Amino acid sequence: MRDDVIRDVAAPGRRALLRGVGGFGVAAALPGLGACSAGPQSTNDTGSGGSGKDRTLTAVIGYGNDGSWDPTQTASAFSMAANNHVYEGLLDTDPITRVPYPALGTEVPKDSGATTWRFRLRPGATFHDGKPVTADDVVFVFDRILDPKTQTLAKGFFESWLQGVRKTGSDSVELVLKFSFPDGLSRLTLAKIMPKHVFGRPGAWDDAIKGLAVGSGPYRQTAHHPKSNTTFEAFDAYNGPRRPAFRKMNWLTIVDAAPRVAKISGTDAGAQIADNIPYANISRLEQGGLKVAGGAGMNNLFLMFDTRHKPFDDIRVRQALHYAIDKEKMVKVALKGHGRAASSFLDQGNPSYRRARTVYDYDPDKAKALLKAAGVTGLSINVLAVNVSWIADCLPTIKASWDAIGVRTTLAPQETTAVFTKMDQRQDYQVVAAASNPNQFGLDADLIMHYNYGPQNLWMRYTRWADHPVAQQLFKDMDRATREPDAGRKKAMVQDYIDVVAEQAVLYPVIHNELMTAWDPRLLTGIRAQPYPGINVLQAAWV
C-alpha cells in the first residue's frame, strides 16, 4: 500500500487496522462471498468474462487493497472507494459536488438547521445476504461510532455534534443533535449502514478490517484478494437511486506506476479505467485515445515536525524551512504544472478558502534570517518520507532548496506503512514529508481541520504539539467555530484559526496537486474525475 495517500493514520487503533490479510471467518456463512486469499494475481479469480453489456469492468486502482475495510475505521483509498459502491448511508453525497441525496433514507431533511432529523428507511432495502435493512442496523452502527469506549476514525466526524440515534419504528430512526449543525447532513455518508446480524458477531469487526464487506449498495463484493484484486457484481435486489450499470467489476491494485499505466494503455489494454495517473504519462495516454482528466482539491504534500525535537520546537525554524522551498519549481518540474503552492491549509477551490495571513512564498533570504534569529547553524535534517510516486518526484526540490540555505538534507523515502509504524511506535524523527487528502471524507472545513488538528487524533500525537499553549487555544477556537450557528460567522472563525495553523507550521501543506484519472471514452460514459483517490462509477455505464 505504498501509494495510499491517507492510509489509516487518523484512527486511534491504526496498527490494528493494518494487521491481517488472511481469510475472514464470517464469509463462509454469507452467500456469494469468497474467502480472502493472498496468492498471486495469476492464481486469483479476476472476475473477467462476459461480453457486450454483461462484460466485466476492469479498473486499476493505484493504492493497496490490503488496508482496513471497516467503514467506521478506514481511510484506505481503495477500500473507501469500494465501500461507496457496496454500502449506503442514510444519505450519500455526490462524489464531485458532495451534495447529499437520499440513499437508505427516503429523503433529505427539509430543515438542515433542526436539532432533530427523522429518517424513514427505503422500503424493500435489503443487505447482500438477503436480509432486510432495519432501524436496528442503523442504531447499531451509530452506537459503535459514538461509543466512548470504542476508538474509530468516524467518531471524530460525529461525536462533537451528534448526541445519539434512536429507533422510532422498525423502519424509522431519529438523530438527536447537540446543537444545530447543517454540515452534518453531508457527513451521514461516512456512517455506512452495516448489518447487525453480521457485524454484531464476536470477532466480526476484525473480519471487516480484513476485507469482509456486506452492505445494501448496488454492488456486492464477490472476492477479495489482498495485494491483488477485489471483485464485485451487480446486486439484483438493489432498489435504490443509483442502479448498477456493470454486471461485474474487477478492481486491480497496482501501486507501481509503470505497470498501472501499461494495464490501461495499448491495443491490448486489460482495463478500461485507472486512477493515480503519473503526469508524465498523460500525453501518451491521450494520444492512444484515452481521456485523462484531473481533479484539484485537498491532495497535498505536507511537512510534519516533531516539535519536541530541537530545533523544531522553534516556530522560526519551521517557518524558515517552508520559506526555503522553491514551490514553483516543484510544481513545474515534479508536477508538470498540475498543482499550485499552498496559500492556506485549504486548497483554493474549497468553499471556506481564504489566503492565509502567513503564506510561505519562496524567500531563501528570509529563511536564512529566521534560522539566524533562532540561533541555528549547521543544521542537518533527515527527511522521513513516504514513497508515493509523486511525492518522490517532489523530494529532490526540498533537498536542493534546504541545501541552498546551508541545511544539510538527507532523504529517506520508505513505504507508507513503515513511516507511520515508526510514528505509532513514537520513534524519534525530525521531519516527515507525506501526502494527505481529507477530501475523501468531505469538503467542509470543520471536518478537514479536525481530521488534521483534532486534539485527540494521531496527527497531534505524532507532532507532540497538543499540549502547547497555542495548540490548547486553537482547539478551543475550533470547538467554538463548530458550534457557531451562523454560517457566515462560522466561516470567518474557521479562516481565523487557519491563520494560526499557517503561522505555526506544525503540520502544513507545501503544495496542493491534481489527481489524474484515465479512461477509455469509446467504452465508458458518465465518468467524472474526482479530486481524491479512487474512482466512483455509480453514474457510469458502457457506451
Side-chain angles (χ1 to χ4, degrees), residues 170-303:
S170 61
D171 64 347
S172 59
V173 295
E174 187 174 77
L175 276 63
V176 181
L177 281 60
K178 297 177 181 178
F179 47 84
S180 176
F181 192 69
D183 287 340
L185 287 177
S186 62
R187 295 193 193 184
L188 293 182
T189 189
L190 301 173
K192 299 300 187 187
I193 306 307
M194 307 169 72
K196 180 179 180 180
H197 63 272
V198 174
F199 294 101
R201 300 178 183 181
W205 289 111
D206 285 337
D207 294 328
I209 290 172
K210 298 170 187 175
L212 176 63
V214 184
S216 61
Y219 293 94
R220 66 185 190 92
Q221 185 195 82
T222 52
H224 177 56
H225 307 293
K227 300 184 183 297
S228 172
N229 69 310
T230 304
T231 62
F232 313 86
E233 75 175 16
F235 179 41
D236 291 334
Y238 177 75
N239 65 348
R242 300 204 167 175
R243 300 283 299 172
F246 305 105
R247 189 69 225 153
K248 293 183 178 181
M249 297 195 298
N250 182 29
W251 288 21
L252 310 175
T253 170
I254 304 180
V255 175
D256 293 336
R260 183 167 66 251
V261 171
K263 194 70 176 179
I264 196 174
S265 58
T267 55
D268 296 324
Q272 297 84 44
I273 183 171
D275 77 339
N276 197 15
I277 297 298
Y279 306 120
N281 295 107
I282 294 174
S283 178
R284 180 167 66 87
L285 291 176
E286 289 178 334
Q287 290 171 6
L290 298 185
K291 172 72 174 178
V292 184
M298 269 297 295
N299 207 62
N300 67 88
L301 181 159
F302 67 87
L303 297 181

Side-chain angles (χ1 to χ4, degrees), residues 187-435:
R187 295 193 193 184
L188 293 182
T189 189
L190 301 173
K192 299 300 187 187
I193 306 307
M194 307 169 72
K196 180 179 180 180
H197 63 272
V198 174
F199 294 101
R201 300 178 183 181
W205 289 111
D206 285 337
D207 294 328
I209 290 172
K210 298 170 187 175
L212 176 63
V214 184
S216 61
Y219 293 94
R220 66 185 190 92
Q221 185 195 82
T222 52
H224 177 56
H225 307 293
K227 300 184 183 297
S228 172
N229 69 310
T230 304
T231 62
F232 313 86
E233 75 175 16
F235 179 41
D236 291 334
Y238 177 75
N239 65 348
R242 300 204 167 175
R243 300 283 299 172
F246 305 105
R247 189 69 225 153
K248 293 183 178 181
M249 297 195 298
N250 182 29
W251 288 21
L252 310 175
T253 170
I254 304 180
V255 175
D256 293 336
R260 183 167 66 251
V261 171
K263 194 70 176 179
I264 196 174
S265 58
T267 55
D268 296 324
Q272 297 84 44
I273 183 171
D275 77 339
N276 197 15
I277 297 298
Y279 306 120
N281 295 107
I282 294 174
S283 178
R284 180 167 66 87
L285 291 176
E286 289 178 334
Q287 290 171 6
L290 298 185
K291 172 72 174 178
V292 184
M298 269 297 295
N299 207 62
N300 67 88
L301 181 159
F302 67 87
L303 297 181
M304 178 172 67
F305 296 91
D306 181 346
T307 61
R308 293 187 187 173
H309 190 304
K310 291 186 179 296
F312 308 109
D313 59 333
D314 192 320
I315 186 175
R316 294 169 294 186
V317 174
R318 300 193 299 266
Q319 289 182 338
L321 293 172
H322 273 279
Y323 278 119
I325 298 173
D326 188 344
K327 302 172 190 66
E328 295 305 322
K329 177 182 178 182
M330 182 181 288
V331 169
K332 181 179 180 180
V333 175
L335 305 183
K336 311 300 182 189
H338 294 277
R340 57 178 56 177
S343 55
S344 166
F345 196 95
L346 302 175
D347 66 282
Q348 294 188 25
N350 188 280
S352 294
Y353 169 83
R354 182 182 74 190
R355 183 176 170 88
R357 188 172 59 228
T358 304
V359 176
Y360 297 100
D361 295 324
Y362 180 48
D363 194 338
D365 291 335
K366 188 169 187 177
K368 292 177 184 177
L370 284 166
L371 290 177
K372 182 177 181 180
V376 173
T377 58
L379 179 61
S380 296
I381 294 180
N382 182 71
V383 181
L384 183 60
V386 300
N387 66 346
V388 174
S389 54
W390 70 269
I391 293 288
D393 292 339
C394 292
L395 292 177
T397 301
I398 294 178
K399 174 177 169 52
S401 298
W402 288 356
D403 285 346
I405 62 167
V407 175
R408 293 187 299 276
T409 308
T410 303
L411 303 176
Q414 301 174 29
E415 290 194 4
T416 303
T417 49
V419 171
F420 287 104
T421 294
K422 292 179 179 179
M423 300 293 99
D424 292 337
Q425 294 172 348
R426 305 198 178 195
Q427 294 184 23
D428 189 36
Y429 76 97
Q430 295 174 295
V431 184
V432 165

Side-chain angles (χ1 to χ4, degrees), residues 23 72 132 168 194 208 312 386 408 411 432 452 469 478 503 513 522:
T72 72
T168 56
M194 307 169 72
F312 308 109
V386 300
R408 293 187 299 276
L411 303 176
V432 165
N452 289 278
M478 293 172 71
E503 179 185 44
N513 71 316
R522 297 160 296 193

